[in-house]
Amino acid sequence: MNKLIDTPLFDCIAQSADDIYAYVYDPATRLTRYSKPCVDYFDLPSEYTNNSREVWLSRIHPDDQHIYVDDISAVMSGKTSKHHCQYRIRNRYGSYVWLECDGKMISDDEGKHYLFADLMKRIDNFAKYDPLTKLLAISELEYTSFSGRTGTMLLVALDHFRNVVSSFGLNFSERIIVHVATLLQSMCGKDDRLYQFAAHEFLFDLPGHDADYASELFTRIYDELSQVHYIGEHAIALSVSGGIAEYPKHADSRDDLVSYLELGLEYAKEHCRGSVVTYTRSLSSKQQEITDLRIALSESIQKGFKGFELYYQPIYSQRDTTYRSCECLLRWNHNEKVVRPDLFIPLLEDSGEIIHVGNWVMEEAIRTFVDWRKRGILTHMGFNTSPLQYRDTAFAERLIECGKRAGITPSDITVELTESYGVNNFQALKDSVEMLRKEGYRVSMDDFGMEHSTMALLRSIPVDSIKIDHTFVFGLRKPDSHVDHAMIQALINMAHQIGILVVAEGIEDEQLRMTLANMGADLMQGYLYSKPVPKEEFERLIG
Ligand code: C2E
Ligand code: CA
Ligand code: CA
C-alpha cells in the first residue's frame, strides 16, 4: 500500500470514464499506478510498474517518441511542472490512436518532486464512433495493423436499402440502421470488432477466425434479420448479402482487404443475393463481365426495352385435363444469346430498373393475353412480379388501369409474387394484394416453402394459390425422399384446408407428375409439358 497513489480519490477519478486514462507516479519510490481502463486499453502488463517510461515508450509510435520524451524529460528535470503533449500510441488491438496528455508534477515545500498525475484522453474520439449507430467509424480501421495477425473480415450489407429509404423515409430508415447495428453488435465475440462501413453496410474484423467462422456468423445474421421485426408501427423483414476476405491469406493491407470484401459483396448481390461470397482471384474478372452486363441492360431499357422478350410455359390442370394457363417468363436477347432471368433480374433489382421492366412485362403479358383470348388460344395467364414492385401501390394501380383499358376479366390473370427476399414493405405489399384481389385479380405466392418467411407472409396476406418451386419438387427424386415427400404433402394439405390452389413446378417426367397428382397438386408446370418457349412456338404448341 502506497499512501500517495493508493487513494480513494485516484480510484474515483480512474473509474469515472472509460475513455479517460489516468496514472499517478510517486517520485520517491518510482512507482507508477495506472487506471484500469488504461491497463485494459493499452494492454499494460500490470496496474503497478517501476519502469513506466519503458512500458509506455514501447507503445508510442516511433515517429512520435521524441515528442513524449522531450516533454516528460522537461517535467522530470524540473524545467517545468506541466506535462502537455499529443502523440500516437498503440492500443491492445494493435492500432495507433491519438492521445492528449495533461499532467502535473507537484512539489513539497522544499521544492522536491512529490507526486505526478496525468490524465490522458483520446483526441480522435470525435471521429472514432459513427454518430448514428455509435459503432466504430471505419476510419478507425486505418490504424489497424494486419502484420503478424491472422483473421477474417466480413462485410455485411442490407439488401435494397435504397428501397427502404424511398418507402419508409429517411428518419425511419435510420431507426432500422440503429436497430440492425445493435443486433450485430450483440453477435460480436470478445475480440471481434464491428465497424460502420457505409450507411447500410457493416464490417466485422474477426481476429483469429477463418472464412468458415465468418460464413457461419453471416448465416446467423441472415436468419436473425429475415425474421419479421417490429420497429415503431412497421413490420419489416430484412435481407443481407456479404463478402469475406481473410488476412494475411488474401491480403495484408486495409485497402486491398476492403476492395476484396466489396468484390465478394457485389458478386453475392448479383448472383446469390442473401448469401455471402468469399474472395477468390477469379472474382475480379467475373466482376468485369457483370459491369458490362449492367451497362448493356441499361442501354436496352433506354432503347424501348429492346431485346427483352416474354417466353411462355404452359400450366396443366389435373382436373380439367387440359392446359389451363401459362406463366410468362422474361428473357433478354444480348449478343445473339438468350440470357436467363436468374442472371439479369438481380442486376435490375439492384439498380431499381426492375420497376420499369416489371411494368413492361405486365403490359406485354396483357397485350399477348388479349390477342390469345380473342383467338381462343388460352383463357388464363400468369406473370411474375418482384417484391421491389410493391414498395408502394403504384404497380397495382397501373395493372388495374391497364386491365380496364384492355377490357380483360381480372380473374383471368394471375400475378405471381416471386421470392420473398429483400425488404418487404409489408403494408404496401398487403395493400397492393388486397387492391388487386378486390378487383378480381388472382394472386399466387411463388417458391412457396423455400423460405421460412413465406409461411408468415401467407398468414397476413391471403392469396389464391401457391407454387411449389421446382427445386423443392426435384427433392422427390432422391432415393431417400420421405422428408421432402412429407413436407410437400403438408404444404398441399395446408393450402387445400384454407381453400387455395397448389401449382407444382418442375414436373419433368411422368413419375413426378404421378407423384404430385397423387399428392393432390391441382396444377402442373414443367418440361414434361413444355419448356418456356417464344410466343409463336407456344401458339403452335397449344393450338
Ligand atoms: P420462377 O418464377 O420460379 O419460374 C419458374 C422457373 O422454373 C423458370 O425458370 C422455368 O423455366 C423453370 N422451370 C419450369 N419447369 C421446369 C422443369 O420442369 N425443370 C426445370 N429444371 N426448370 C423448370 P426461368 O424462366 O429461368 O426463370 C427463373 C426465375 O426468374 C423465375 O423463377 C422468376 O423468379 C424470375 N423471373 C422470370 N421472369 C420474370 C419476370 O418477368 N419478372 C420477375 N420479377 N421475375 C421473373
Ligand atoms: Ca413464377
Ligand atoms: Ca418457382
Side-chain angles (χ1 to χ4, degrees), residues 448-501:
F448 197 80
M450 298 299 290
E451 298 233 4
H452 45 72
S453 50
T454 48
M455 202 64 97
L457 209 59
L458 187 63
R459 286 183 64 192
S460 48
I461 306 181
V463 295
D464 303 277
S465 58
I466 57 170
K467 287 187 93 167
I468 301 180
D469 193 59
H470 58 276
T471 47
F472 216 9
V473 167
F474 293 163
L476 297 174
R477 284 174 165 161
K478 290 186 297 196
D480 186 20
S481 67
H482 62 280
V483 174
D484 296 76
H485 205 281
M487 281 172 78
I488 294 180
Q489 187 68 67
L491 287 184
I492 295 176
N493 294 348
M494 185 269 305
H496 286 167
Q497 255 168 30
I498 57 174
I500 66 180
L501 293 175

Side-chain angles (χ1 to χ4, degrees), residues 99-124:
L99 211 59
E100 183 173 74
C101 301
D102 275 299
K104 172 83 179 161
M105 176 72 87
I106 48 174
S107 303
D108 60 16
D109 294 344
E110 285 142 34
K112 213 166 128 228
H113 285 169
Y114 176 65
L115 177 68
F116 179 73
D118 191 0
L119 288 181
M120 301 173 289
K121 61 175 184 295
R122 302 252 329 248
I123 49 176
D124 52 355

Side-chain angles (χ1 to χ4, degrees), residues 1-6 24-33 48-51 112-115:
M1 186 80 175
N2 177 313
K3 68 177 178 13
L4 264 185
I5 62 180
D6 290 318
V24 279
Y25 169 70
D26 174 6
T29 59
R30 300 182 150 271
L31 194 64
T32 297
R33 181 187 172 196
Y48 296 90
T49 180
N50 272 317
N51 61 342
K112 213 166 128 228
H113 285 169
Y114 176 65
L115 177 68

Side-chain angles (χ1 to χ4, degrees), residues 321-391:
T321 59
T322 176
Y323 289 125
R324 156 121 186 119
S325 181
C326 75
E327 177 176 3
C328 303
L329 292 151
L330 187 60
R331 297 290 182 267
W332 180 49
N333 300 290
H334 175 57
N335 285 347
E336 287 161 27
K337 277 201 218 104
V338 181
V339 186
R340 291 182 60 112
D342 299 332
L343 249 179
F344 67 83
I345 289 202
L347 300 185
L348 295 176
E349 288 182 329
D350 201 40
S351 67
E353 285 163 321
I354 190 71
I355 308 282
H356 307 300
V357 176
N359 287 337
W360 180 85
V361 167
M362 180 268 285
E363 281 155 21
E364 179 70 11
I366 299 232
R367 249 193 309 276
T368 304
F369 180 71
V370 168
D371 177 34
W372 282 352
R373 198 198 42 191
K374 213 167 28 191
R375 292 160 56 198
I377 292 177
L378 207 65
T379 56
H380 286 85
M381 174 182 276
F383 63 87
N384 292 290
T385 54
S386 154
L388 297 190
Q389 290 172 259
Y390 299 99
R391 58 180 190 185

Side-chain angles (χ1 to χ4, degrees), residues 446-447 469-470 505:
D446 220 346
D447 304 333
D469 193 59
H470 58 276
E505 209 181 73

Side-chain angles (χ1 to χ4, degrees), residues 66-79:
H66 69 280
I67 300 174
Y68 171 77
V69 170
D70 291 353
D71 202 81
I72 202 80
S73 302
V75 175
M76 295 304 161
S77 67
K79 235 191 254 172

Side-chain angles (χ1 to χ4, degrees), residues 493-522:
N493 294 348
M494 185 269 305
H496 286 167
Q497 255 168 30
I498 57 174
I500 66 180
L501 293 175
V502 178
V503 188
E505 209 181 73
I507 306 299
E508 288 197 348
D509 51 47
E510 183 53 28
Q511 179 76 36
L512 277 179
R513 189 198 67 78
M514 271 208 343
T515 310
L516 266 305
N518 288 336
M519 291 168 93
D522 306 286

